[in-house]
Amino acid sequence: AQSVTQLDSQVPVFEEAPVELRCNYSSSVSVYLFWYVQYPNQGLQLLLKYLSGSTLVKGINGFEAEFNKSQTSFHLRKPSVHISDTAEYFCAVLYILTGGGNKLTFGTGTQLKVEL
Amino acid sequence: DVKVTQSSRYLVKRTGEKVFLECVQDMDHENMFWYRQDPGLGLRLIYFSYDVKMKEKGDIPEGYSVSREKKERFSLILESASTNQTSMYLCASSLFPGESSYEQYFGPGTRLTVT
């Protein structure tokens, strides 16, 4: 069974400071990993994804994440945050079904609050 | 521009009512999904469908059913709404595996309150 753990429910940070949002997963098969962002009163939007290849993945809005197979982690980072990055961030693992189709398992989310 | 739309942003219903939540995508995607989102629990999959008239139970299907009569439309049905179904409901769609990046595209959500 696949599961995703986001240990930090809230992360406060000052503007222009670096931030890391942690994500650990458990899976017995090859993994496809995602980070989604949800701005207030909106649906989810894809930030970045890891399917294969380079373990350092760059996404939109200056975010990046590193896939670490030995530590089963996929932490999200940004070197300098902006007020507009205040949002909820979700890590997710994709599960490919044998009969076709696919489904995502999400973590519980991390609320990033950027302060002046 | 890809688009997933949901019929209502806010909905208030009474306990015992039958509730329909509609989702439409204009991207010709095979897969469609219904999630509910609750604080501290993240997103949990209720049902999904990878073809017309096909449906699969997700992680929390109890109290819900779905209908997919056309490729672009996926409906979530609460047969008899209860207060513990008060939540944010999110619809998503994606291409069939192997054809793209597996990205799921989300609608804006419907905040349902059952009183």
Side-chain angles (χ1 to χ4, degrees), chain B residues 13-56:
Chain B
K13 295 292 183 180
R14 292 193 182 274
T15 300
E17 277 192 82
K18 190 169 185 176
V19 181
F20 293 87
L21 302 183
E22 304 284 339
C23 175
V24 177
Q25 50 96 1
D26 65 359
M27 297 164 283
D28 201 35
H29 284 171
E30 286 83 6
N31 299 321
M32 295 189 75
F33 308 83
W34 275 107
Y35 297 90
R36 64 176 283 176
Q37 181 181 9
D38 300 289
L41 297 177
L43 276 75
R44 294 178 292 167
L45 183 64
I46 305 171
Y47 266 97
F48 61 103
S49 167
Y50 52 84
D51 202 354
V52 176
K53 296 193 185 294
M54 303 293 288
K55 60 184 180 183
E56 295 284 343

Side-chain angles (χ1 to χ4, degrees), chain A residues 18-69:
Chain A
V19 71
E20 177 179 86
L21 305 183
R22 297 180 294 167
C23 173
N24 289 88
Y25 67 91
S26 67
S27 174
S28 58
V29 296
S30 298
V31 292
Y32 303 97
L33 296 158
F34 300 77
W35 275 100
Y36 282 83
V37 59
Q38 185 179 34
Y39 298 105
N41 299 315
Q42 295 186 27
L44 274 68
Q45 177 183 347
L46 183 68
L47 262 184
L48 49 80
K49 59 184 181 284
Y50 172 79
L51 303 181
S52 65
S54 172
T55 57
L56 183 63
V57 179
K58 293 191 184 296
I60 61 172
N61 301 338
F63 284 93
E64 63 181 33
E66 184 154 19
F67 171 56
N68 188 318
K69 189 174 182 179

